[in-house]
Amino acid sequence: MIYQSENLSDVLNQVRNEFNFEVVKRPLVGSLNEGSETVPTDWFACFRDDTFEPVGPGSVKDGYVPHTTEDVVTLVEAAIDGFGKGVTEVKTDFDNGHCVLITPSSEYQRKVSGKDIVFPRLLIQAGLGGSSSFRCTLGLYRSLCANLELFKTHKSFSVSIRHTRHLPNRIDDLRASFAGLQEGWVNLEGVIDRANQREVEIADILNKIYPQPTEQASQRSVTIHRDRTRDIVNRLFQERNRGGYGLTEQGKATAWELFNAVQGYQLHDAIQRGKRSDLQRAILANNTPAVRKAEELLLAA
């Protein structure tokens, strides 16, 4: 679901409507000799109370208390208020937990160079099934390549909130915690600017992210490495042409455009489309070793 509004109350009510169910904890039972007789166990699991489908990665302990929809709404409200300047859009998703992607006001948009424009995004993740914390991560949307990017290079890019009861009663504390993400956006702008001014050798960086096959490697491994390198370089040049800027020296790129080419490849080409939503695919892509390595080499330096 995507919902657009500048009215905070409307946004929060829409989040409530999209997550119009609760997650409950239920005991698990076993069967005797594959028969109909059941026996209690010490294990529990989380289930949706509307569809009764299990959620979360596995069983939970007796003392585990699932968070509520209102907890998620509280996190969304605190993130919007803490970051400041309102919100223009929210996107919700549920996959073993609640995810809300928040688009802050367009006042925050940043022109990198040419037609390359980036917009901040706030991702709230409230996992289920033993998760001990909620997390709000600062990222960006790059319209040039339709990439949703999330970062781990600086502590101001994320906020972790302990999974406790009565979260709505802590709204003021949560607002204060999320307020630091505004500074994170300023830091991220600096990261982008430095990466956009730094020249790198394309082949050298790609071989560090995706090591070249050894002499003993199969022909299939060699072909995969060759084709992947070709696809990433093609993506880089396509985005460079669309953006109307970039290096022209053969074999070189800015650290910024090469990072986006790698991240875009992992998001749009490497991950198969299927039952996953676009948001879940973006989260998965940004957590791949390749993207984390690219961030380390191209953005953190």
Side-chain angles (χ1 to χ4, degrees), residues 207-251:
N207 284 331
K208 289 179 180 177
I209 298 172
Y210 307 100
Q212 289 180 293
T214 64
E215 293 182 358
Q216 293 76 30
S218 66
Q219 183 58 46
R220 182 174 182 273
S221 297
V222 174
T223 300
I224 290 174
H225 185 273
R226 181 199 63 210
D227 291 350
R228 179 176 53 217
T229 299
R230 178 202 61 209
D231 292 345
I232 292 173
V233 172
N234 286 343
R235 175 174 289 277
L236 186 153
F237 279 98
Q238 291 168 3
E239 294 172 1
R240 178 182 289 179
N241 291 335
R242 287 198 297 269
Y245 80 103
L247 299 180
T248 57
E249 187 174 350
Q250 187 173 4

Side-chain angles (χ1 to χ4, degrees), residues 51-82:
T51 63
F52 306 107
E53 63 182 305
V55 296
S59 61
V60 297
K61 295 181 179 180
D62 185 17
Y64 177 79
V65 178
H67 63 262
T68 66
T69 293
E70 202 57 35
D71 288 336
V72 178
V73 172
T74 300
L75 290 169
V76 172
E77 179 181 1
I80 293 172
D81 284 350

Side-chain angles (χ1 to χ4, degrees), residues 39-56:
V39 293
T41 74
D42 294 329
W43 302 91
F44 295 77
C46 295
F47 299 84
R48 287 179 57 150
D49 70 354
D50 57 345
T51 63
F52 306 107
E53 63 182 305
V55 296

Side-chain angles (χ1 to χ4, degrees), residues 112-119 141-147 235-236 238-245 256-257 260 268:
V112 180
S113 187
K115 299 178 182 178
D116 192 359
I117 300 175
V118 295
F119 307 82
Y141 175 78
R142 186 180 185 233
S143 58
L144 196 64
C145 52
N147 285 7
R235 175 174 289 277
L236 186 153
Q238 291 168 3
E239 294 172 1
R240 178 182 289 179
N241 291 335
R242 287 198 297 269
Y245 80 103
W256 170 244
E257 61 181 348
N260 278 282
H268 299 294

Side-chain angles (χ1 to χ4, degrees), residues 253-288:
T254 68
W256 170 244
E257 61 181 348
L258 185 52
F259 170 78
N260 278 282
V262 171
Q263 198 271 352
Y265 170 82
Q266 292 294 145
L267 173 59
H268 299 294
D269 302 321
I271 297 179
Q272 293 183 351
R273 299 179 184 274
K275 294 183 179 180
R276 295 188 181 95
S277 67
D278 289 344
L279 179 54
Q280 292 300 327
R281 290 178 64 252
I283 293 171
L284 185 60
N286 282 286
N287 285 327
T288 58

Side-chain angles (χ1 to χ4, degrees), residues 78-107:
I80 293 172
D81 284 350
F83 197 82
K85 297 187 181 180
V87 61
T88 58
E89 178 183 287
V90 292
K91 178 185 293 186
T92 60
D93 188 79
F94 187 85
D95 183 11
N96 286 330
H98 301 78
C99 290
V100 182
L101 186 67
I102 301 169
T103 300
S105 168
S106 58
E107 297 176 49

